[in-house]
Amino acid sequence: MQRRAVAVFVALFLAIAGVAGALTATADSPEIALENPEVDVSQGDSIPVDDESYVVTDISESENDEGQMIISGTLERNFTAEASETWTNGSTVSVGDRDWRVEIAGENATEFTLVEVLDRQAILEADDTAENETVTLDDGEYVAVTDDSGERTLVPVDEYFPAPEERSVATGETLEYNGQTVTVDEVTADGAVLVWETTETETIEVAQQSTVTLGDTDYIAHFPDASTLRMSTDIEAYEAQVAEIDRFDQYNSGLSRVLILSVLSSIMLAGMAFIPSRY
């Protein structure tokens, strides 16, 4: 009698396990699907935003720390920005292949002067008749020059070295600096401000199901495969799909626990049925 009762319960638990297993095996897991996305692109495509565009420079698949394969992408936008640099009064700057000293005269100056900084050492070394170092005496600095007869003469440095070149540059004028054309935007007693346009690159890393802001618009990003990026502004619909997936996972997890508990209960009851009775 005891074994017949156990057999009934074992059959019941196995039936429950069978139903749970069948439901688990046949249930279709919902997936994220962006309907009518505003953006549907592949690597190399452009995404227009206002008067500019972002280029999809990369879509790739990689393995994360948990060993899962994940898809991510990169967007890039080139844009024009204004750069500036201040040349302080008395500083030395390199323009062309020479060094210049910045000189600004007066509190209300509207221009500055570039005064060439002579490479005295190079000039001395290039002159076979001059010594490579100047001579300093009580009354000034000199260059020692030896003529063809061997006579050594001291020449004042102001007479020996050529007069430095000077260039005046006013507000609004341009000059070539570091391979680009710069404009003198402002001149004050402290320095001159130079401005120019430069091209900069904005890079946006896009992760699976991340929020991406392009211009003033927020998008939800989705990679259906390792070569396609889709983005939609309907973030609420995306969140609803995520909630549906969470509910499915909870439902499926519950069925799995029922399956396991039913099988274990059947095994335990079957084992108890063969325990000898003391009566």
Side-chain angles (χ1 to χ4, degrees):
M1 180 67 181
Q2 178 183 3
R3 292 184 178 181
R4 285 198 297 271
V6 169
V8 171
F9 283 107
V10 168
L12 176 62
F13 281 121
L14 289 177
I16 294 174
V19 172
L23 291 175
T24 302
T26 58
D28 292 329
S29 175
E31 297 180 352
I32 296 292
L34 300 182
E35 296 184 1
N36 301 318
E38 287 83 358
V39 176
D40 189 351
V41 292
S42 302
Q43 184 169 321
D45 292 344
S46 298
I47 304 173
V49 178
D50 298 329
D51 296 330
E52 300 176 328
S53 65
Y54 289 81
V55 178
V56 184
T57 58
D58 178 66
I59 297 178
S60 57
E61 192 173 20
S62 60
E63 185 176 338
N64 62 12
D65 295 337
E66 289 74 32
Q68 301 171 328
M69 299 305 295
I70 58 173
I71 305 174
S72 61
T74 303
L75 307 180
E76 288 187 357
R77 173 179 71 100
N78 293 328
F79 62 97
T80 301
E82 184 178 274
S84 65
E85 184 175 325
T86 300
W87 291 352
T88 57
N89 191 9
S91 63
T92 300
V93 297
S94 295
V95 179
D97 57 353
R98 290 179 287 176
D99 291 337
W100 306 78
R101 185 175 63 257
V102 179
E103 294 186 357
I104 302 175
E107 293 292 328
N108 300 316
T110 59
E111 66 177 16
F112 64 92
T113 301
L114 292 176
V115 181
E116 181 186 10
V117 178
L118 297 176
D119 188 347
R120 291 187 171 187
Q121 188 62 41
I123 295 174
L124 291 175
E125 292 177 356
D127 187 354
D128 294 335
T129 65
E131 296 180 3
N132 289 342
E133 295 183 0
T134 59
V135 179
T136 302
L137 302 178
D138 293 339
D139 58 346
E141 190 176 7
Y142 297 86
V143 175
V145 178
T146 302
D147 59 21
D148 294 338
S149 63
E151 183 178 354
R152 185 172 180 268
T153 305
L154 295 179
V155 181
V157 291
D158 292 340
E159 297 180 11
Y160 176 83
F161 293 107
E165 181 182 345
E166 296 185 3
R167 298 170 55 185
S168 294
V169 187
T171 303
E173 293 184 351
T174 61
L175 67 155
E176 295 299 315
Y177 175 60
N178 281 349
Q180 57 200 351
T181 301
V182 301
T183 302
V184 180
D185 184 62
E186 181 185 12
V187 178
T188 66
D190 296 327
V193 179
L194 287 78
V195 297
W196 63 93
E197 289 188 345
T198 182
T199 300
E200 298 184 5
T201 300
E202 177 190 9
T203 301
I204 299 178
E205 300 296 335
V206 182
Q208 180 71 286
Q209 300 174 16
S210 62
T211 301
V212 180
T213 302
L214 301 182
D216 297 326
T217 306
D218 291 336
Y219 298 86
I220 191 69
H222 176 61
F223 296 93
D225 51 56
S227 62
T228 305
L229 167 63
R230 292 173 182 162
M231 297 196 300
S232 172
T233 57
D234 194 353
I235 299 178
E236 291 184 359
Y238 157 77
E239 292 176 344
Q241 293 182 68
V242 172
E244 182 182 352
I245 292 175
D246 290 341
R247 287 193 297 270
F248 174 84
D249 290 340
Q250 293 175 1
Y251 168 79
N252 211 41
S253 177
L255 287 176
S256 298
R257 287 195 292 269
V258 170
L259 171 63
I260 294 172
L261 289 174
S262 298
V263 171
L264 291 177
S265 298
S266 299
I267 295 173
M268 182 181 67
L269 287 173
M272 291 175 62
F274 292 94
I275 296 176
S277 174
R278 287 192 280 177
Y279 303 99

